[in-house]
Amino acid sequence: MTVAVRFAPSPTGFLHIGGARTALFNWLFARHHQLHGDGGQFHLRIEDTDRVRSTEEAVTAIIDGLKWLGLDWDGEVVFQSARAAHHAEIAQQLLAAGRAYRCYSTSEELEAMRERAKAEKRSIGYDGTWRDRDPAEAPPGIAPAIRLKSERTGATTIRDHVMGEVTVENQELDDLIILRSDGTPTYNFSVVVDDHDMGITHVIRGNEHFRNAFRQTQIYRALDWKVPEFAHIPLIHGADGAKMSKRHGALGVEAYRDMGYLPDALRNYLLRLGWSHGDDEIISTEQSIEWFDLPEVPTVSAPPPLKPRELLDQPMSNFPDRRRTHPQGRWSRSPAQFDFTKLNSINAHYLRNTDDRRLVDLLCECFLSHDPEMSRLLTDEVKERLFRAMAWLKTRSQTLREMAEKADFCVRDRPRMEDRAAKLISEARNRAILAGLRDYLSKGTWALAPLQVTLEEFAARENLKLTDIAQPLRAALTGSLVSPPIFDVMAILGKEASLGRIADAAQAS
C-alpha cells in the first residue's frame, strides 16, 4: 500500500498553531513511510468551498506558513472549490443508485423538527420526511437538497489509531445533506470525494473532526469506496488547561516567526504536543522522521455505543486505554498543553546550536521584519560586529527578538540611551573620566588583552577603581548598564566606533 496523507485547511484565516501541528504530524507520517519505502505522499488541499469567508490572503498565509516551517508537500496544491462540479456529479450518481434522495423540507419545517427533538430530549436531526416519499408530491417552487440515505439499523464503528475503537448506533446518525438546494456540495461530502480521488490512505486530523468520521464513513460505504484509516489527535489547550486563546498562544504561525522563534524549534515543540519519545525533549528532524508513526488500533472489545453528542462532551472514560503506545513513540488522547516557557527553552537550545554566521543572517532578517528602515544600518561592518558578539548573544537569548534587543547597540551609529545610563553619563565626574579615557585609549592597541591592560593603567594613573570606569564606559558604548563584558564590547564595536561613542558621551550635558 502506498501511504498518502493530506493537510486540508480552510482559508478563512491564518495558519493557527493547531493547524500547524496537524500539518506537521501528517508530514512526518508521510516522510517516515517514504523513508521506509511505503510511498509516503503528503498532499496540500485548500478547502475553500466557503466562498464568503475564504480569502486569497489566508491562502497565502497558509502556504507561506508551511514553507517557513519547512513542511513541503507533494504535487500541486488542490483547491476544493475547483472540484465542485465533480462533487455534484458524484452526488447525482448516489441519487441515481437509490442511495440518496431529494429533500423538499423548508427551513421552517427543519426548525420545527429541531424543536420537537429538543422537547422530546432526543438527538437533533432530520426525521426522514422525504426519504421514501414520492417526489411528485413536492411543493412547487422549492429547490430540493440531496440527502444521503444513511443506514438505519446496526452501528458504525471507527477504529481510530489514537482514540481507539468507538461505535455509534446508526439510528443516531440522520440523513445528512450532501448537495445543498443551490447545487453546492457540503463539507463532509466534498471531503470524502476528494480524499478518495487523491488516494488518501490515512486521515490524521484534530479531534474536533471525530464526529465527522462516522458520517463520512457512511458516505464511503454508500459509494462502495474503501474507508481510510483515521487518527484524531488531541486538542491543544493553554498551560492552565483552558481552551486555547490568544493569550495562550492561539496565534498564526507568522506571529511565532515575528516573535523570533526558529522553525526547527517550533517543529520540535509541536511534535511533543500529543506525541512523545521517552523522555526526549530535543528531537531533530531526522530523528522525528525515523521515529514518528501511528500506533496499532488496540484489538479489544468495542465499548458500548455512544450518542454523537457524547463523542466530544465526555468521551475519555468510554474509550479503552488512556494512551496509545508504539515502539517508537507514545501518543496521548488527553489535550496537550501549550507552554511558552517550554517553547522558549527549546528555542534557546536551537539558537545556541545554530551556526554563528547563519544566526547573523537570521538576526538581520529579524531587524528588517520589524523596521525595514534598518536596511541602511546593516552594513558588512555591522554584520561583523554581530558575528563577534554572537558568542555572548546566543547564550543569553531565548528568541531572535530578544537577541535583537540585546544586539541593538551593535547596529546603530550611536546607541539608544536607557534612562539609567543617560543619568550616569550626565554626571560631570563621569564625563571627565570618559574624556580622559578616550585620549588614553586612542594611543593603545585595540585587542582584548591590551585593552584590559590599558584600562587598568588608566585607573591606576587617575587613582580610580576599575568599577569607577566600567559603568560609565558601558553606558557610553551600549546605552545600557547591562552588556557583555566591557572589554568584549570594545572588541565587538572596534576602535573607531568605540572612541566615537566615548567622545559623544564625554560631551553630553
Side-chain angles (χ1 to χ4, degrees), residues 49 61 73 92 128 155 165 217 296 326 365 390 418 471 502:
T49 51
W73 54 89
Q92 292 295 332
E165 191 169 290
T217 295
E296 294 297 325
H326 184 272
E365 291 175 9
M390 199 52 69
E418 296 177 359
Q471 282 299 75
I502 295 169

Side-chain angles (χ1 to χ4, degrees), residues 133-338:
R133 195 170 170 183
D134 188 345
E137 300 176 23
I142 300 294
I146 295 179
R147 289 183 181 270
L148 181 74
K149 274 191 177 180
S150 299
E151 300 170 30
R152 285 289 182 86
T153 60
T156 297
T157 297
I158 301 296
R159 301 186 70 248
D160 192 277
H161 284 268
V162 178
M163 302 299 291
E165 191 169 290
V166 186
T167 299
V168 169
E169 295 286 358
N170 287 334
Q171 64 184 5
E172 297 288 343
L173 302 172
D174 66 346
D175 295 344
L176 75 157
I177 293 175
I178 58 175
L179 206 64
R180 300 182 186 91
S181 58
D182 63 0
T184 59
T186 57
Y187 169 78
N188 278 307
F189 188 66
S190 297
V191 165
V192 168
V193 176
D194 288 345
D195 281 348
H196 170 266
D197 290 354
M198 295 171 70
I200 301 303
T201 60
H202 295 74
V203 174
I204 305 172
R205 58 189 178 186
N207 191 32
E208 67 272 20
H209 290 288
F210 191 43
R211 300 178 192 222
N212 291 332
F214 295 87
R215 297 184 179 281
Q216 291 168 8
T217 295
Q218 290 214 344
I219 296 173
Y220 276 106
R221 289 175 179 172
L223 289 163
D224 296 322
W225 289 346
K226 180 178 174 58
V227 182
E229 298 183 42
F230 290 107
H232 289 88
I233 56 182
L235 302 176
I236 301 177
H237 286 180
D240 58 2
K243 186 178 178 180
M244 280 282 280
S245 63
K246 286 188 176 181
R247 68 184 177 89
H248 292 115
L251 307 167
V253 166
E254 72 278 5
Y256 289 89
R257 179 190 60 206
D258 293 344
M259 287 188 286
Y261 292 101
L262 300 178
D264 289 1
L266 189 56
R267 286 201 311 269
N268 189 153
Y269 180 69
L270 291 176
L271 174 64
R272 298 280 282 103
L273 296 182
W275 182 91
S276 62
H277 185 270
D279 295 327
D280 294 322
E281 291 287 346
I282 304 300
I283 305 176
S284 68
T285 299
E286 293 73 21
Q287 289 172 323
S288 302
I289 291 172
E290 175 63 35
W291 293 338
F292 191 90
D293 203 359
L294 293 176
E296 294 297 325
V297 179
T299 53
V300 297
S301 298
L306 300 173
K307 294 182 178 180
R309 63 175 177 271
E310 295 176 315
L311 295 178
L312 291 182
D313 294 341
Q314 46 181 359
M316 295 307 168
S317 61
N318 293 292
F319 298 160
D321 298 340
R322 186 77 174 162
R323 291 175 180 268
R324 303 271 69 80
T325 302
H326 184 272
Q328 293 178 316
R330 195 176 190 189
W331 289 77
S332 172
R333 287 192 288 102
S334 300
Q337 292 189 331
F338 193 94

Side-chain angles (χ1 to χ4, degrees), residues 330-396:
R330 195 176 190 189
W331 289 77
S332 172
R333 287 192 288 102
S334 300
Q337 292 189 331
F338 193 94
D339 186 346
F340 268 112
T341 299
K342 183 160 286 189
L343 173 58
N344 288 340
S345 175
I346 291 175
N347 201 68
H349 169 88
Y350 278 86
L351 284 176
R352 290 193 300 271
N353 288 275
T354 298
D355 176 76
D356 286 356
R357 289 290 182 190
R358 173 61 179 151
L359 268 184
V360 169
D361 292 339
L362 292 171
L363 191 55
C364 289
E365 291 175 9
C366 183
F367 277 121
L368 291 174
S369 69
H370 288 81
D371 185 2
E373 295 297 320
M374 290 191 72
S375 59
R376 67 176 184 81
L377 300 176
L378 297 173
T379 62
D380 290 343
E381 180 184 349
V382 165
K383 291 178 182 178
E384 283 305 309
R385 285 183 197 167
L386 293 172
F387 179 73
R388 292 194 293 268
M390 199 52 69
W392 180 82
L393 289 169
K394 68 193 301 185
T395 59
R396 290 165 174 79

Side-chain angles (χ1 to χ4, degrees), residues 54-74:
S54 297
T55 66
E56 287 298 324
E57 292 78 11
V59 173
T60 299
I62 290 168
I63 290 175
D64 288 349
L66 291 173
K67 287 180 178 179
W68 178 75
L69 279 171
L71 305 182
D72 57 319
W73 54 89
D74 300 297

Side-chain angles (χ1 to χ4, degrees), residues 410-453:
C410 297
V411 176
R412 300 186 183 278
D413 298 327
R414 291 295 183 263
R416 292 187 292 191
M417 283 288 167
E418 296 177 359
D419 291 342
R420 291 192 304 157
K423 183 178 180 181
L424 188 69
I425 290 175
S426 69
E427 296 175 11
R429 176 175 179 270
N430 290 328
R431 293 203 306 275
I433 290 173
L434 291 171
L437 180 61
R438 187 215 175 275
D439 293 339
Y440 202 77
L441 285 171
S442 64
K443 303 169 186 175
T445 302
W446 210 267
L448 203 60
L451 281 171
Q452 184 168 352
V453 172

